Amino acid sequence: MDVTIEIESPLQDDVRALVAALSDRLSPLSPREFQFGIGVDEMADPSTTVFVARDAAGRAVGCGALTVHGGGIGEVKRMFTVPEARGARVAAKTLDAITGRARELDLEWLMLETGAGPAFASAHRLYQRAGFTPRGPFLDYPNSGWSAFFELRLP
């Protein structure tokens, strides 16, 4: 599948639908108090850059975001690919765009929190293939056992 990745507003209906589908997928996988996704209104904050993957027909098939924190830290948020586009490297291309933007911003670290357990194995593989390594909690995330944390040192 040929896709383009662009920086876009999260306040578009099709991007809202992607974020809602991600939330629906994740909701049954861990207790609500250990789910740390941000909504589209938070994604529209200037500290966050949203990347949208679109197929050749212009349909939104994936998304991801970069939130910039202090101390040279960027955080990967809201990675999602629609089921019919999985296996087409949409997530890898989106993650590459996020990583590229983090480098443009001269960030030192790119970190992320994702779920733990078998349902998240493909996400863990994606991040590790991109050079991320496991780490402990960062920022104010709790060490609950429901989350897995990864980091990438940016040269």
Side-chain angles (χ1 to χ4, degrees):
M1 171 181 292
D2 193 27
V3 297
T4 58
I5 313 292
E6 299 290 341
I7 295 172
E8 297 188 23
S9 168
L11 302 178
Q12 303 170 84
D13 288 344
D14 55 357
V15 180
R16 287 179 188 274
L18 286 174
V19 174
L22 171 59
S23 295
D24 289 347
R25 181 180 182 283
L26 296 178
S27 182
L29 299 177
S30 58
R32 181 71 198 120
E33 63 268 23
F34 297 112
Q35 295 180 21
F36 304 105
I38 58 176
V40 292
D41 292 332
E42 293 168 287
M43 292 169 73
D45 185 272
S47 66
T48 299
T49 305
V50 176
F51 296 83
V52 179
R54 294 189 180 274
D55 65 14
R59 189 173 71 101
V61 295
C63 64
L66 169 64
T67 297
V68 176
H69 300 285
I73 296 172
E75 183 179 8
V76 177
K77 299 292 287 182
R78 306 311 273 168
M79 291 287 296
F80 181 68
T81 303
V82 297
E84 57 272 21
R86 291 189 186 140
R89 299 194 33 80
V90 172
K93 292 174 185 177
T94 303
L95 187 58
D96 285 347
I98 291 169
T99 303
R101 179 69 177 146
R103 285 190 170 103
E104 288 172 5
L105 296 172
D106 292 324
L107 298 177
E108 294 179 47
W109 292 96
L110 197 50
M111 299 184 188
L112 64 94
E113 177 275 337
T114 189
F120 296 94
S122 62
H124 295 191
R125 280 192 304 275
L126 168 73
Y127 299 127
Q128 289 177 317
R129 285 182 185 143
F132 285 78
T133 56
R135 60 156 294 137
F138 63 98
L139 299 174
D140 59 354
Y141 289 108
N143 190 9
S144 67
W146 290 100
S147 294
F149 302 94
F150 293 88
E151 68 183 7
L152 176 67
R153 175 103 166 116
L154 299 172

